[in-house]
Amino acid sequence: MAIASQDAIKQLRALMEEVDEPLKRTFENVHQGYPNEALVRFLKAREWNVSKAHKMLIDCLNWRLENEIDNILTKPIIPTDFYRGLRDSQLIGLSGYSKEGLPVFAIGVGLSTFDKASVHYYVQSHIQINEYRDRVVLPAATQKHERHIGTCIKILDMTGLKLSALSQIKLLTMISTVDDLNYPEKTETYYIVNAPYIFSACWKVVKPLLQERTRKKVQVLQGGGRDELLRIMDYSALPHFCKRSGSGSSRYSSSPDVHDCFSLDHPFHQQLYNYIKRQSSNNGFMVPVKQGSFHVSVPEPDPEGTVIVETIESELHKIGDQNGLSHTMNGLKIGGMKQVQHLDAGFVGRKMYKEN
């Protein structure tokens, strides 16, 4: 690493040694025994500006304390049938690992409906997946491969993405804001598959607005992207929507060897759900008998992100006008988010086009 980068890490480390104990404790859950690597993530997110990276990291740690993020893995979403509805409408799962040992997360952007619960539950669910990834999945991969693994790969399925469904972009924008500010540089590469015209049109106008570092992370593949993805992972690690040889995909497949990684019945979600219930019991928390979501505050997106969101909004309205659908777009307003929640669901929304 360049001398300038090493100096930046040293300076940021010295600043972090001066913070209060509560911030140091929650930072331990962030770095999981690799503090320098965590500092690098925040430095990268702020273009190696030490003062900006320090502010970003302190803001993140305060957010964790104020919202009790360290305890979120002790808060099960119950009952199970209700949680199953969440999983059926917020499509995300771990399909396997790359040849280099990186977790492969699949995200069904186009077919996620987010219509089975309030936004608070979707935010809680996604933060839990983020925290489980960072505290359990990545440390296990690190131990297995005997080298630090701190990032993942994400494959975003745009199957089913329609203009009428893009009202969900508000939720995705809130989710991506939390990820941008509190979980930076956790994704090595975003692979976009089964991209329809709507995505392609937005991507065309947003791509030039991105920093080069961000653009390099995004790869839009043809069709389901199976052949390209098999270069970096085995067939068993492919999400079910990539296992079809032809273009296009579907949420479910009749093939007996295809296991839907979005389903609550998938081993990843079973392990996650059981882990949260065990953590609740081990920490002396009573498992509630009624539903109760975990509310999380979300800061305003930064100015650059706001510009990108406004650009997406403008492009969507143009597409609506061209297709005679302007009346369906009247209620779509992406900007103006002040508070609510989070999820890493992926890209359509601000993150579709701005990832740290």
Side-chain angles (χ1 to χ4, degrees):
M1 189 176 294
I3 294 177
S5 300
Q6 291 288 1
D7 287 344
I9 296 170
K10 184 177 180 180
Q11 292 174 40
L12 184 54
R13 185 170 61 237
L15 290 171
M16 291 305 297
E17 289 173 355
E18 298 176 1
V19 303
D20 296 337
E21 283 302 317
L23 294 181
K24 288 181 179 178
R25 285 196 296 271
T26 194
F27 185 47
E28 292 177 359
N29 271 332
V30 172
H31 67 64
Q32 291 295 314
Y34 292 88
N36 277 7
E37 287 77 1
L39 298 178
V40 168
R41 291 195 294 108
F42 283 85
L43 284 164
K44 284 183 177 180
R46 289 298 177 258
E47 303 299 326
W48 294 93
N49 183 303
V50 175
S51 61
K52 291 182 179 179
H54 179 246
K55 181 182 185 305
M56 182 186 188
L57 180 50
I58 294 300
D59 288 346
C60 166
L61 299 180
N62 281 321
W63 172 80
R64 295 181 66 88
L65 290 177
E66 292 166 4
N67 293 281
E68 300 182 6
I69 301 301
D70 290 340
N71 291 329
I72 199 167
L73 290 180
T74 65
K75 308 289 185 180
I77 299 175
I78 51 104
T80 303
D81 287 345
F82 178 73
Y83 185 65
R84 184 178 295 277
L86 244 63
R87 293 276 59 83
D88 288 342
S89 56
Q90 181 187 33
L91 304 180
I92 181 171
L94 178 68
S95 64
Y97 294 81
S98 74
K99 293 177 181 178
E100 295 184 347
L102 275 63
V104 177
F105 281 89
I107 301 166
V109 177
L111 291 171
S112 291
T113 57
F114 301 104
D115 61 350
K116 302 299 183 182
S118 72
V119 63
H120 303 282
Y121 286 105
Y122 290 113
V123 171
Q124 176 182 354
S125 167
H126 185 71
I127 296 178
Q128 287 178 335
I129 291 175
N130 274 4
E131 292 292 314
Y132 186 76
R133 173 198 65 195
D134 293 351
R135 299 195 222 174
V136 178
V137 175
L138 290 172
T142 293
Q143 183 176 16
K144 177 180 179 180
H145 293 275
E146 299 183 337
R147 62 181 177 82
H148 180 245
I149 295 178
T151 59
C152 64
I153 290 170
K154 290 182 180 175
I155 304 175
L156 282 64
D157 181 22
M158 297 295 169
T159 297
L161 189 65
K162 299 177 181 178
L163 196 63
S164 60
L166 288 173
S167 59
Q168 298 299 339
I169 205 166
K170 287 186 176 183
L171 171 58
L172 296 177
T173 299
M174 293 185 293
I175 280 167
S176 64
T177 297
V178 174
D179 281 349
D180 288 344
L181 297 179
N182 299 290
Y183 300 90
E185 293 292 332
K186 296 301 294 187
T187 302
E188 194 75 18
T189 308
Y190 289 92
Y191 293 99
I192 311 298
V193 301
N194 302 314
Y197 169 74
I198 293 173
F199 173 87
S200 301
C202 289
W203 179 242
K204 182 178 180 180
V205 297
V206 169
K207 186 177 180 180
L209 302 178
L210 300 179
Q211 297 175 359
E212 182 180 2
R213 174 175 56 84
T214 303
R215 288 198 300 269
K216 287 181 177 179
K217 285 189 173 188
V218 183
Q219 295 191 31
V220 182
L221 306 183
Q222 184 174 4
R226 185 175 76 165
D227 293 341
E228 292 91 339
L229 291 171
L230 285 175
R231 296 173 186 168
I232 63 168
M233 66 187 71
D234 294 333
Y235 181 82
S236 60
L238 287 176
H240 56 282
F241 52 78
C242 294
K243 290 184 175 179
R244 291 180 54 175
S245 57
S247 62
S249 176
S250 62
R251 179 178 168 189
Y252 300 105
S253 172
S254 58
S255 176
D257 66 334
V258 176
H259 196 171
D260 179 5
C261 64
F262 297 148
S263 170
L264 179 58
D265 297 322
H266 189 273
F268 168 71
H269 284 297
Q270 286 292 303
Q271 292 162 11
L272 167 63
Y273 200 52
N274 289 333
Y275 178 89
I276 293 174
K277 289 193 291 186
R278 286 197 307 272
Q279 290 296 110
S280 177
S281 176
N282 292 341
N283 283 276
F285 293 101
M286 293 290 293
V287 176
V289 295
K290 295 183 178 180
Q291 301 169 15
S293 60
F294 194 87
H295 291 214
V296 177
S297 63
V298 174
E300 285 285 324
D302 59 38
E304 180 185 1
T306 300
V307 170
I308 292 172
V309 168
E310 290 174 350
T311 301
I312 298 170
E313 181 183 14
S314 175
E315 186 64 22
L316 294 177
H317 278 284
K318 281 195 287 186
I319 295 172
D321 291 340
Q322 292 169 2
N323 291 276
L325 298 173
S326 57
H327 64 284
T328 68
M329 301 295 292
N330 290 337
L332 178 58
K333 180 68 177 176
I334 303 169
M337 296 287 104
K338 285 203 179 290
Q339 164 179 6
V340 195
Q341 293 62 54
H342 130 136
L343 181 153
D344 186 274
F347 255 48
V348 176
R350 201 173 115 245
K351 187 171 199 169
M352 182 175 342
Y353 324 105
K354 177 187 178 292
E355 218 304 299
N356 289 309

